[in-house]
Structure formats: C-alpha cells, structure tokens
C-alpha cells in the first residue's frame, strides 16, 4: 500500500460570486475546475521514490461531479491518465487511473481538502486490488 502526501495549487482564479449553489441545500459547491499544479511524495520503496515529484491535475466539473486527467513525474516513471470523482463541501474524492507512463496500470484513491486556491491530501494504492 502506498500513502503519499499531495499538495497542489490552482492555476485559476475564482471570485466568491462564481460559486455555484446546489438547489437542494443552498450551500455553495466548491469550484475546482481548472489546472492544479503541485508536488507529491512517493515512498513505496521502489526506484520511483521521490520527494516533491511534480504533479498536475486538470479538472472539469459539473456541479459535484469531477472528471479530468492527472500527470505525475516520479524518479523513473510518468504515470498519467483519466480521473473521476466528487466534491462535497471542501472535501474532494478522486479515483485516478494510471493508463500510461507506468509499468503497470493502476488505480488510486485520492482524498483531499480544498481551501481556496490550494489543495492538500493523500492517496492510496493497494497493489493487489487496484493494479494489473
């Protein structure tokens, strides 16, 4: 199992008036659409271990539903591929699917908190369950 710290910063601007409101709850839906660039720490004991690995998330959003792509550069690989997820309040849950740039196809769960133009959290890869 891999646990990594994820820290990203949004490359987009949003005013308070841009927040979308859910009709059922009347609470604003946190907007995360755009390109997020930051770093990740990969510590799984392999040759791809690194601290401060460059990572980019490109997110599209339809209300609470999130889609897009991710790209991560580690010591010896560049896993990338599609992602899907949901936003609830400022809590973001994503599933990323490494379909290219890696020796194996893997999926990982990302749990992050969004605070304005910053995002931080962790991701978990369970090799036996999620990797081919």
């Amino acid at each position: 199992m891999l646990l990594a710290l994820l820290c990203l910063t949004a490359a987009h601007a949003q005013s308070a008036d841009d927040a979308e409101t859910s009709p059922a709850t009347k609470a604003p839906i946190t907007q995360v659409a755009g390109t997020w660039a930051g770093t990740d720490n990969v510590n799984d004991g392999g040759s791809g271990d690194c601290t401060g690995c460059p990572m980019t998330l490109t997110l599209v959003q339809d209300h609470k539903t999130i889609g897009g792509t991710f790209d991560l550069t580690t010591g010896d690989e560049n896993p990338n591929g599609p992602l899907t997820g949901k936003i609830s309040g400022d809590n973001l849950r994503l599933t990323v699917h490494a379909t290219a740039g890696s020796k194996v196809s893997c999926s990982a769960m990302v749990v992050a908190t969004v605070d304005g133009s910053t995002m931080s959290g962790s991701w978990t890869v369970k090799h036996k369950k999620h990797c081919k």
Side-chain angles (χ1 to χ4, degrees), residues 48-65:
D49 284 2
C50 66
T51 301
C53 302
M55 180 177 212
T56 302
L57 300 177
T58 303
L59 305 179
V60 294
Q61 182 171 359
D62 182 11
H63 301 284
K64 294 182 178 184
T65 302

Side-chain angles (χ1 to χ4, degrees), residues 107-124:
S107 295
M109 299 297 300
V110 176
V111 178
T113 301
V114 179
D115 183 8
S117 64
T118 62
M119 180 188 308
S120 61
S122 62
W123 64 344
T124 305

